[in-house]
Amino acid sequence: RSPAGMLLVAAGLLLAVAAGGRGSPAGEQESPPGSRFVCTSLPLDAAGAGCPLPPVPMQGGALPPEEELKATVLQLRETVLQQKETIGSQRDTIRELTGKLSRCEGADGKSAAGAWKNEVGKGKDTMGDLPRDPAQVIDQLSRTMQTLKDRLESLEHQLRANVSYAALPSDLREMLQRRLGDLERQLLSKVAELEDEKSLLHNETSAHRQKTETALNALLERVSELEKGSSAFKSPDEFKVSLPLRTNYLYGKIKKTLPELYAFTVCLWLRSSASPGIGTPFSYAVPGQANEIVLIEWGNNPIELLINDKVAQLPLFISDGKWHHICITWTTRDGMWEAFQDGEKLGTGENLAPWHPIKPGGVLILGQEQDTVGGRFDATQAFVGEMSQFNIWDRVLKAEDIMNIANCSINMPGNIIPWVDNNVDVFGGATKWPVETCEERLLDL
């Protein structure tokens, strides 16, 4: 045969060997399952018996045609075997990876990681025959690689969900750190806002509580004042002022002052234990006139009424240490005056500071005679004893009204100066005590 014919025969033989793993073309009978074609080297002396080869002409001292064809066939056979080994090696690798991925996918993160570590040192598994068509192998390998890629992505998602944070990639850790940092800052900001709102609410609550407590304290103080005004005595006017010593510092003071007066009536209950003279039951001084109104019994002198430093002697006798009710009336018209003791009129007169109005804005003192407004007391002129129900009216009371007051028929407080606890202050040791009832004072007469 010609060399060209021999080459065609060798090529056909190669194709036949390579097609051993493929299925038969359409319309041809397929090989039995599990069968395969194997190329086996033939000895040189058997070449003519198994496959008669055409003679190859010699070319310029080259090998004989038979030898050259034989060398070509052997070279082709070695190439096919090398391809088979390469494909088998690749298929072993793919199969090994496939088995490992299957075990990773079927286990949790920790077991998958452990299985992966355990499989690193194992040897290759024995696998079946590979297709002998290079095109088919390449196509199958491409599909297998794509499948592996998809399974690796799925496994990566599973690992991200199962593995610990330390096993995550560095870029993923950084991203998670940033997200966690953002969440932490948002949380801290929200906590700060809540703390501010809590602080504002606390401040508002504290201010409201303080305001409420202030109002309650004011109410309690007011209630305490009212209770104090009525708790010491059964009634605000049922008290007496006690001046037990003849000094220049024991006295009581009326908080209210007098307006300008053109007439007045002064009534009081008193009991004096001093002798001689009861002293000064009360005095009213104004700027420029210390003796604007004064009732005084000094030494062995009779009781005197001074108005604008003018004097009238009164026929009153009250230095027996008993309770007595005293009333004095005066009017600027002709300076008329009247004196009542225990409801009876004992004396009257006129021309006592006629047409002189009583000046307003002065100071009323109980138990002391004033040489200046509110001060400069003289112990020899001090009242010693007890007094109660000191009332002043801006008119001359009728005799019957004075009688009714003295015999306890009516209680008639003064319209200018009433006798109430919160209108009388005591100083220097003077004290306030509950007073005997009006009937008890009558029995003392």
Side-chain angles (χ1 to χ4, degrees):
R1 297 175 183 172
S2 63
M6 294 177 65
L7 291 174
L8 291 175
V9 172
L13 181 61
L14 177 61
L15 292 175
V17 172
R22 294 186 299 179
S24 300
E28 296 182 1
Q29 184 178 1
E30 296 181 357
S31 300
S35 64
R36 59 182 179 177
F37 296 94
V38 180
C39 291
T40 306
S41 60
L42 299 176
L44 295 178
D45 55 357
C51 185
L53 298 176
V56 180
M58 299 291 289
Q59 295 181 0
L63 292 175
E66 294 81 0
E67 295 294 332
E68 183 178 356
L69 178 59
K70 185 176 181 180
T72 302
V73 170
L74 291 176
Q75 184 177 2
L76 291 174
R77 181 173 177 272
E78 291 177 0
T79 302
V80 171
L81 291 176
Q82 289 177 359
Q83 290 179 354
K84 179 181 178 182
E85 292 178 359
T86 303
I87 292 173
S89 176
Q90 292 177 351
R91 189 170 184 180
D92 290 341
T93 303
I94 291 172
R95 193 130 177 225
E96 180 183 357
L97 292 174
T98 302
K100 292 174 181 179
L101 285 175
S102 298
R103 286 189 293 273
C104 290
E105 289 174 344
D108 56 9
K110 293 183 179 179
S111 62
W116 180 267
K117 292 180 180 179
N118 293 332
E119 290 292 336
V120 171
K122 290 184 178 180
K124 299 181 180 179
D125 295 333
T126 303
M127 304 179 67
D129 295 331
L130 293 175
R132 290 181 174 82
D133 187 1
Q136 185 179 359
V137 171
I138 294 173
D139 182 62
Q140 184 178 357
L141 183 60
S142 176
R143 290 195 302 271
T144 303
M145 293 302 293
Q146 182 63 36
T147 302
L148 290 176
K149 182 179 178 181
D150 295 338
R151 294 170 73 178
L152 282 173
E153 290 180 356
S154 176
L155 183 60
E156 183 181 2
H157 289 300
Q158 184 179 358
L159 288 175
R160 286 181 180 177
N162 294 334
V163 299
S164 62
Y165 176 77
L168 296 176
S170 60
D171 55 348
L172 182 59
R173 289 201 302 269
E174 293 177 358
M175 181 183 70
L176 289 177
Q177 284 180 346
R178 290 195 300 270
R179 293 295 301 274
L180 288 175
D182 294 340
L183 291 176
E184 184 177 5
R185 285 191 293 272
Q186 293 177 5
L187 180 61
L188 291 176
S189 176
K190 188 64 177 178
V191 169
E193 291 179 2
L194 292 176
E195 289 292 338
D196 293 339
E197 292 178 359
K198 180 180 177 182
S199 178
L200 291 176
L201 181 62
H202 177 73
N203 293 336
E204 292 177 358
T205 305
S206 299
H208 180 70
R209 183 171 62 251
Q210 185 177 2
K211 186 182 297 184
T212 303
E213 290 178 354
T214 302
L216 288 176
N217 290 333
L219 290 175
L220 289 174
E221 290 177 0
R222 179 60 180 164
V223 171
S224 298
E225 290 178 359
L226 294 176
E227 290 177 348
K228 183 179 178 181
S230 60
S231 63
F233 315 109
K234 295 181 180 180
S235 178
D237 63 340
E238 292 183 0
F239 71 98
K240 61 184 177 181
V241 173
S242 176
L243 303 166
L245 300 175
R246 190 183 296 274
T247 68
N248 61 351
Y249 51 82
L250 270 73
Y251 67 98
K253 181 179 180 181
I254 304 297
K255 294 180 181 179
K256 293 183 67 176
T257 186
L258 297 179
E260 187 175 46
L261 295 176
Y262 298 93
F264 66 79
T265 298
V266 178
C267 293
L268 72 156
W269 283 89
L270 57 81
R271 178 169 62 183
S272 174
S273 58
S275 179
I278 64 172
T280 307
F282 73 90
S283 64
Y284 175 69
V286 296
Q289 182 52 267
N291 296 323
E292 187 70 6
I293 304 176
V294 179
L295 181 65
I296 185 172
E297 185 182 57
W298 185 22
N300 294 320
N301 297 323
I303 294 179
E304 296 177 341
L305 175 64
L306 282 70
I307 296 181
N308 192 28
D309 212 19
K310 306 300 187 292
V311 180
Q313 294 183 347
L314 307 181
L316 302 177
F317 306 95
I318 53 178
S319 58
D320 55 359
K322 297 181 179 181
W323 279 108
H324 294 281
H325 185 261
I326 302 299
C327 280
I328 299 167
T329 68
W330 174 87
T331 175
T332 187
R333 182 176 180 179
D334 295 328
M336 297 288 298
W337 59 269
E338 295 173 320
F340 295 81
Q341 180 175 335
D342 301 325
E344 295 182 7
K345 185 189 324 185
L346 298 184
T348 183
E350 61 181 9
N351 203 30
L352 178 60
W355 315 110
H356 170 75
I358 302 300
K359 296 178 182 179
V363 176
L364 262 172
I365 296 294
L366 302 178
Q368 296 285 351
E369 193 272 333
Q370 306 174 63
D371 287 340
T372 60
V373 177
R376 286 188 63 183
F377 305 142
D378 185 350
T380 61
Q381 298 174 338
F383 173 81
V384 179
E386 300 171 335
M387 64 179 66
S388 181
Q389 296 297 323
F390 179 83
N391 292 281
I392 300 179
W393 294 262
D394 60 354
R395 66 185 184 276
V396 174
L397 293 183
K398 297 179 180 179
E400 58 182 349
D401 292 333
I402 295 175
M403 177 61 72
N404 290 331
I405 294 173
N407 62 21
C408 304
S409 298
I410 61 173
N411 183 14
M412 189 174 170
N415 66 334
I416 299 299
I417 301 295
W419 181 255
V420 289
D421 183 19
N422 60 8
N423 191 39
V424 180
D425 289 333
V426 291
F427 301 92
T431 55
K432 294 181 183 179
W433 296 95
V435 70
E436 295 85 343
T437 63
C438 188
E439 290 75 13
E440 290 174 342
R441 294 193 294 269
L442 282 178
L443 294 175
D444 194 37
L445 295 177

